[in-house]
Amino acid sequence: MEPEQIPQLIAEIALADPRVKREDKTERRAQALMWAGILADVPYNYAVAAAHRHYAKSTWPILPADIATQWAATVRDRMQRDVDPAPPVDPDDEAAYRQQLAAHRRAVATGQEPPVEHRALSAGPAAAEAERRRTVIGKYIPIAVDDALAAYRPQRAARLAVLREGRPDALAVPCPVETCRAAAGTGCTRPGKGQTRHRLAGPHPSRVDYAAERAA
């Protein structure tokens, strides 16, 4: 807000609450300077709207901090919802890229542009198509790729096979067998000679049962 707009703002607020307007000329000048400093970043129209909201639910005189606090919360909400889209310039031109990005952020913060938000596909044909693609792709990598790599990752392939059949994933839980105690995500072992351990072809039956109990 420009400093010369402050007297008009105070005069407009005084129509609802005469207490905010100073009668002494020196005090009016000091008040205008104080409000101008506090509301320097707040647009005039927003300040007027904030005063309307204040007196719609309060009989206390409004303070410039009341307006500034509302503005800060509004700006924070806008910026948190904005995803910072890539500026429509050559990304190799760093100066232009930064300039456009800063301009976008200022426009969103001041309300000149709406925040650019991510929108979830929650219903309709687009959501159905997204779900179909997600099913084909799988959780992390395409199912077809998992199948192609099965020979090179037998443990992962065995876990995926179990999950596809609807059985509990034993490796998702630690092994309860005292002589094993394999951590979640690692295969079961058995003691060997000395400090050696031998990896088992599959999980201990007790671990399978434990996973089933946890999944129930």
Side-chain angles (χ1 to χ4, degrees), residues 3 19 32 34-35 46 53 70 72 100 107 112 118 120-121 143-144 146 148 150 160 163 165 173 185 190-191 211:
R19 295 171 295 178
M34 178 65 72
W35 281 53
Y46 184 92
R53 289 191 293 270
Q70 287 189 44
Q100 289 290 325
Q112 299 176 48
H118 280 310
L121 296 174
I143 293 173
D146 261 332
L160 288 175
L163 292 173
E165 293 173 8
V173 298
R190 62 176 176 81

Side-chain angles (χ1 to χ4, degrees), residues 193-210:
K193 292 182 179 180
Q195 298 297 318
T196 62
R197 299 194 66 82
H198 300 291
R199 184 177 296 276
L200 301 183
H204 284 105
S206 296
R207 190 175 188 179
V208 176
D209 293 342
Y210 181 46

